[in-house]
Amino acid sequence: MTAGSVATARRTDRSAEVTLDARVVAKEPVAADTVRLVLDPVGEPLPTWEPGAHIDLRLRPDLVRQYSLCGDPEAPYWEVAVLREPDGKGGSRHVHEDLAVGDVVEVRGPRNHFSLAPAEEYLFIAGGIGITPILPMLRVAQASRTPWRLVYGGRTESSMAFRDELQALYGDLVSLHPQDETGLLDLASLVSACSAATQIYSCGPAGMLGALEALCTGDTAPRLHVERFVPRELDPSIEDNEFEVVLERSGLKLTVPVGRSVLEVVEDAGIYVESQCRAGTCGTCETDVLYGEPDHRDSLLDEDERASCETMMICVSRARCPRLVLNL
């Protein structure tokens, strides 16, 4: 990928994913509306992971949510931080109000679409709870002695999770910007001060990520990596077309009509595919493409991965050709 391109994902190693039980051994506030959970394995050890990874938590049989791992990759336990979202669908409320120390939850993962690539220097830009996948990246950058700095914005100082911990560990390498005191982050100035050798890693609100994507264009711009917690907005003028999918391993030919996803059609045919978000943000339903050109509508794959036509997120992506052959 060339300088100035936007990277939004890395192909995850699905073989590293496991499903097991973990016990909540600690639950503590790290900001006004954010709690940190420490999860200890029940039985077998937790698998290893790298910065940028996230896991699924099955909070109830009908309630699964994805959270970024935010602790030390070398630790034998996992840590996640959960922001209370009053307008959410119940996951954060369950964590804040019902989940208690001693409870056992099912965990699945780790899954990584936001891995940290080697660089000459890093600029980390976090907005709100988007600090969580960035935290372990700072450990790695610091340990490797790669030049880096973090610019961290939030609504108010009290809402910014891990702010005291970050300043105690890294001092002047961390710059905090509460919006009610300093206004919105000056993204244009941050990007213009970077060299083409800088790699920017950012997670946060959709508006912030969209603005960064617009700024990181051209051969001399820094390379941008982003992770989204909500799907990117699609062009409303895009029209759906009917197409055929062939499931190579199952020997099925199916029609995907307008208004239905590949995932829904495959499920109706009795083929089970692991899926969670159904919005193109978690990567759970990533499927190998054996033939054809997908119409990628996810918020994960980068430009090279999309151009390769090797995989697609079948919960949202469609086809740019009459027929797709999938490894299902």
Side-chain angles (χ1 to χ4, degrees):
M1 189 173 287
T2 60
S5 57
V6 177
T8 56
R10 287 293 176 272
R11 179 71 186 279
T12 187
D13 180 6
R14 304 306 294 273
S15 65
E17 293 185 26
V18 301
T19 300
L20 47 79
D21 289 336
R23 179 172 286 106
V24 180
V25 296
K27 177 182 176 181
E28 60 182 356
V30 289
D33 295 308
T34 305
V35 295
R36 170 175 22 202
L37 302 179
V38 180
L39 305 168
D40 212 24
V42 177
E44 60 183 291
L46 296 168
T48 59
W49 59 280
E50 295 182 352
H54 67 269
I55 58 172
D56 301 334
L57 287 189
R58 187 175 296 277
L59 302 169
R60 294 194 310 257
D62 62 339
L63 188 62
V64 179
R65 294 292 183 268
Q66 292 80 41
Y67 298 107
S68 296
L69 291 169
C70 62
D72 183 353
E74 301 298 323
Y77 49 82
W78 282 349
E79 294 181 43
V80 299
V82 182
L83 170 69
R84 182 193 291 271
E85 299 184 45
D87 298 326
K89 298 181 180 180
S92 67
R93 183 170 63 252
H94 178 88
V95 169
H96 278 256
E97 298 178 5
D98 301 323
L99 195 65
V101 172
D103 287 351
V104 174
V105 294
E106 183 181 280
V107 297
R108 179 177 175 84
R111 188 178 307 119
N112 200 340
H113 290 89
F114 191 46
S115 58
L116 185 67
E120 294 183 23
E121 61 180 359
Y122 298 108
L123 171 61
F124 300 101
I125 303 176
I129 197 61
I131 188 63
T132 51
I134 300 294
L135 290 173
M137 294 183 179
L138 306 183
R139 291 178 180 270
V140 171
Q142 185 78 348
S144 67
R145 298 185 178 180
T146 304
W148 67 270
R149 64 186 181 115
L150 166 67
V151 178
Y152 178 15
R155 296 188 315 277
T156 64
E157 183 174 304
S158 64
S159 73
M160 299 173 69
F162 304 104
R163 64 187 185 280
D164 294 336
E165 178 180 320
L166 284 166
Q167 289 188 313
L169 285 171
Y170 304 119
D172 292 341
L173 292 174
V174 175
S175 178
L176 301 182
H177 295 266
Q179 184 178 338
D180 63 339
E181 298 177 21
T182 62
L184 294 173
L185 295 178
D186 186 352
L187 300 176
S189 294
L190 291 173
V191 172
S192 65
C194 295
S195 72
T198 305
Q199 297 205 36
I200 300 176
Y201 280 79
S202 185
C203 184
M208 183 185 81
L209 299 182
L212 282 170
E213 288 174 335
L215 289 165
C216 292
T217 58
D219 292 339
T220 60
R223 182 174 173 184
L224 173 66
H225 310 253
V226 304
E227 179 162 73
R228 297 176 180 273
F229 292 149
V230 296
R232 79 168 67 239
E233 292 186 9
L234 296 176
D235 183 344
S237 66
I238 294 176
E239 295 183 357
D240 290 351
N241 294 308
E242 181 176 289
F243 60 96
E244 181 183 76
V245 290
V246 177
L247 309 187
E248 180 75 12
R249 289 190 286 114
S250 303
L252 296 176
K253 294 183 180 180
L254 307 171
T255 298
V256 181
V258 173
R260 303 209 72 208
S261 70
V262 176
L263 177 61
E264 291 169 335
V265 170
V266 167
E267 288 177 331
D268 285 351
I271 306 301
Y272 175 75
V273 179
E274 183 75 23
S275 64
Q276 296 296 343
C277 73
R278 295 179 178 254
T281 58
C282 75
T284 309
C285 70
E286 185 174 11
T287 300
D288 290 335
V289 178
L290 304 180
Y291 174 84
E293 183 183 1
D295 177 7
H296 295 290
R297 302 185 183 185
D298 64 273
S299 300
L300 288 167
L301 296 176
D302 67 32
E303 295 167 4
D304 285 354
E305 289 166 328
R306 292 182 178 214
S308 75
C309 298
E310 292 180 355
T311 70
M312 64 184 291
M313 307 303 164
I314 64 172
C315 65
V316 291
S317 296
R318 300 184 67 80
R320 294 185 181 275
C321 55
R323 182 170 67 105
L324 289 175
V325 180
L326 304 179
N327 187 25
L328 290 174

